[in-house]
Structures are given as C-alpha cells and as structure tokens.
Amino acid sequence: MLRMSKMTDYGIVLLTELARAGSETRTARELAAGTGVPLPSVSKVLKGLQGAGLLVSHRGASGGYGLSRPAEHIPLTEIISALEGPVSLTECGAQGGHAPTGTCELETVCRVRGHWRVINRTIQDALGRLTLADLCAPVPRLVGLGVPARPAAPAQNPNPIPTTAGGAHS
Amino acid sequence: MLRMSKMTDYGIVLLTELARAGSETRTARELAAGTGVPLPSVSKVLKGLQGAGLLVSHRGASGGYGLSRPAEHIPLTEIISALEGPVSLTECGAQGGHAPTGTCELETVCRVRGHWRVINRTIQDALGRLTLADLCAPVPRLVGLGVPARPAAPAQNPNPIPTTAGGAHS
DNA sequence: TTTAATGCGGACCAACTTAGTCCTGTTTAA
DNA sequence: TTAAACAGGACTAAGTTGGTCCGCATTAAA
C-alpha cells in the first residue's frame, strides 16, 4: 500500500487549514473543530510540527499555532519527514541515518540497494516540488511535478498488462 | 518513513535473483540460499507473486519458480502492488477500491483529497517507468525516471531549514 | 493578584499489522 | 512408490500505531 501514517495525513489537513488562516493563529481546539480530527490527535500532531520548525506556538491564554513561514515555502517533503522521518521506500536507503549501515542483514548479498537511492530521490523530488500552498489551491491543477504534462496513459510503459495485478487486491 | 513492507523488499530481491537465472526455474530453497532471506518467508512471498501473475510455478519434484515474462516487461509498480496493494500514499486516493468512498470520516471536510490523486499518479509514473530489468543492471545509471536531470539541490525549495526535522528522527 | 485558557511533555493502553513459523495437503519427476 | 517441491492455510510473537489522559508551565485578561 505504500502509505503514509494517519498522523501525517492529519498533519497535512491541519496545515492547510492553518494556511487558510493566513497570519492569524489558531488554537488546537479550533483546528479540531474545523477539520474533524479528534482533539488529542490534533494536539499531538501540532506538537510534532512545532518541534520540526514548521509551526510557531504561543502559549497561555489566547495562544495558538501559526505557520512559521509562508505556505509557498513549505515543501511537502518537509511536512512528511517532520512527522514520520525521511521519505524513503526502504530502510537502507534512508538518508537520515535510520539504518546506520549494518542494520540490514542482507546487505552483503543485496544487489538492489544502489537502485533505491535513485528511486528515493525521484520520489523526494516529486514531493519536494509541491508546497503547502499548492495543496491549498481549490482545484488540483498541479504542474511542474516532474512528470511531463500528459494524458492518463502510463507513459513509457510498453507492457499491455493492467498495472497493479488487477483484481487481486481490489 | 513512507516505507514498503519487508516482504515487498524481499520480493524485489527474489525477483532480481530470479531474473538473473534467465529462463531457468529456481526452487524456493535455492533462492533462500542465494539471497539470505529465510526460507518460509521466501515461500510466502513467491506464492504471492505467483498469485499476481508475475511468476509461473512448477510443482512436484524438480519443480520451481520462473518469471512469467521477460524482466523488461515487469514494471516496479506491478511488483509493489502485487505484494501490498495499490501504490498510493493515502487510503482515500487508492485506485483499487480500497477505500470505497465513505471509509474516511473526514471526507466531507477534507479539502486536500483531490490533490492526492495527482501526487499518487506522479509516484506511480515514476515507479512504473522502472522495470525489473533496470533493477538487475549492475550500476544505478537510471534515466527517464520522469524527473529532469538536475543536480542534488532540492529544486524550488528556498528555505534554509535542513529537510527532515534534523535530529528529531535520526 | 487571581483565574482560566492554552500549549508542553510525558506515560499509557488497546488494537492492528507484520514477520515469521509450522502443518497438512497435492502434484510430479525419477 | 518415493521424495521433492509447491499450495494453502492457521497460528504466534513482536512491533507499531492511533488514541487517551494527566499534571505542569505559561500568559492574557479580569
């Protein structure tokens, strides 16, 4: 499935809500009400985003959270990696030092490893080119994602087999 | 972390090993010995790949597994989705029907959803452009991944903050 | 000065997922 | 007939995740 954790999903929803508030701050309570995310989880996610430097917080009465910089300057990769570590499909290729060489017991025989670095960078590039501001735009009219503007065809994929094993998982 | 499951990782390692064998078949036992992956797991993964149509199996004595088609015609997306469902960062955008509309309780308020479709397709494109044959090539000299050849800079990312929350997760 | 609202930093738990093991068929070449 | 190999389960242990809760520190306003 290759999915993000729910918390990261929450984080993105909360950030877009916050971006819509412009320079005003919002309390965790307000954001919970506005998005439908349960308050304790909102709290936890916001704390994480604050720790990563994406949000600034004001404590005390009439406190709240605000973006630390304009939404245009917050790339999607940074949001994701703030909440669940470096964007990487495999442990071994993670640049953050998650697998400090030696963790993967197959390392000596693994002939695939070098390729993951490239693949991971590709995904990071695609995700990093998208900012929080893009996610706030009303209609998904995203360009410059690194994929040539092109119809729905699977591009240079010359095999006629329907991608994704068809019914196996549906 | 955004990672694949270990089983999928195994699957890819096993498939490359199998691709190296050309048109010969290999037994689960041989593959386990050749890759270092524990035999029961090898068995499980191969069964999955067989069910998805990526492998053909021959039962009985001197049986074994072989690729169902040339490695050049097996895109990476198909391998991944065979072992862990459709390639998608979120449940709600998954094309396989995993979340049959209504699963996500935030659906009515979620303003981000439309964007995920685009993001997911981007990643699918990048991954689908790569085949098993590419993964077998000795050196990662991969082109045409959909990302314009470009230096290591994170592209249009003008913020000075070190991506990935720095020490928080390392 | 007091009060109440708010974020901070944890500990904690239940549920789910994952990786791994094992067992009993069935098939098939020798 | 035999043994090697795949097929298809059930099962378990460990880890992760999502979610809850609590007491504390901070601060604006009454």
Side-chain angles (χ1 to χ4, degrees):
Chain A
M1 172 65 95
L2 200 66
R3 75 185 188 293
M4 300 182 315
S5 78
K6 213 167 182 180
M7 287 300 172
T8 305
D9 202 350
Y10 285 170
I12 292 173
V13 170
L14 293 172
L15 281 170
T16 56
E17 190 74 9
L18 214 34
R20 246 174 233 110
S23 56
E24 297 175 31
T25 67
R26 286 284 161 87
T27 69
R29 210 166 300 266
E30 287 171 333
L31 290 170
T35 59
V37 177
L39 176 58
S41 296
V42 170
S43 226
K44 181 182 277 191
V45 171
L46 292 180
K47 279 182 234 174
L49 292 172
Q50 195 273 340
L54 289 174
L55 297 180
V56 288
S57 64
H58 302 283
R59 305 175 68 166
S62 81
Y65 291 95
L67 296 183
S68 66
R69 37 196 151 111
E72 300 82 39
H73 294 168
I74 300 184
L76 186 48
T77 33
E78 193 172 342
I79 302 174
I80 295 179
S81 55
L83 289 171
E84 56 185 308
V87 171
S88 171
L89 292 186
T90 53
E91 300 271 349
C92 59
Q95 77 280 49
H98 246 273
T101 306
T103 300
C104 175
E105 67 281 1
L106 304 182
E107 217 159 58
T108 54
V109 268
C110 178
R111 297 190 187 80
V112 192
R113 198 158 39 117
H115 296 286
W116 285 120
R117 287 224 336 276
V118 183
I119 295 173
N120 287 332
R121 256 201 19 88
T122 303
I123 295 182
Q124 286 160 21
D125 272 10
L127 257 37
R129 211 157 282 153
L130 207 57
T131 72
L132 179 56
D134 295 321
L135 291 180
C136 292
V139 180
R141 175 66 42 111
L142 309 174
V143 291
L145 253 184
V147 69
R150 180 175 299 196
Q156 312 156 7
N157 189 347
N159 72 306
I161 287 155
T163 318
T164 89
H169 281 276
S170 71
Chain B
M1 171 66 94
L2 201 69
R3 75 185 188 291
M4 299 182 316
S5 78
K6 213 168 183 178
M7 287 300 173
T8 305
D9 203 350
Y10 286 169
I12 291 172
V13 170
L14 293 171
L15 280 170
T16 57
E17 190 75 9
L18 214 34
R20 246 174 232 109
S23 57
E24 296 174 31
T25 67
R26 287 284 161 86
T27 69
R29 211 167 299 265
E30 288 171 332
L31 290 171
T35 60
V37 178
L39 176 57
S41 295
V42 170
S43 228
K44 182 182 278 192
V45 171
L46 292 179
K47 279 181 232 174
L49 292 172
Q50 195 273 341
L54 290 174
L55 298 180
V56 287
S57 63
H58 302 282
R59 305 175 67 163
S62 82
Y65 291 95
L67 296 183
S68 66
R69 41 196 148 108
E72 300 81 40
H73 292 170
I74 301 184
L76 185 49
T77 33
E78 192 171 343
I79 302 175
I80 295 179
S81 57
L83 290 172
E84 55 185 308
V87 171
S88 170
L89 292 187
T90 52
E91 300 271 349
C92 58
Q95 76 280 50
H98 246 273
T101 307
T103 300
C104 176
E105 66 282 359
L106 304 182
E107 216 159 58
T108 53
V109 268
C110 179
R111 299 190 185 80
V112 193
R113 197 157 43 116
H115 297 286
W116 286 120
R117 288 225 334 276
V118 183
I119 295 173
N120 287 332
R121 259 203 15 90
T122 303
I123 294 181
Q124 286 161 20
D125 271 10
L127 257 38
R129 212 158 280 157
L130 207 57
T131 72
L132 179 55
D134 295 320
L135 290 180
C136 292
V139 180
R141 175 64 42 112
L142 308 174
V143 290
L145 255 185
V147 70
R150 179 176 299 197
Q156 314 155 4
N157 190 348
N159 71 305
I161 290 162
T163 319
T164 88
H169 282 278
S170 75

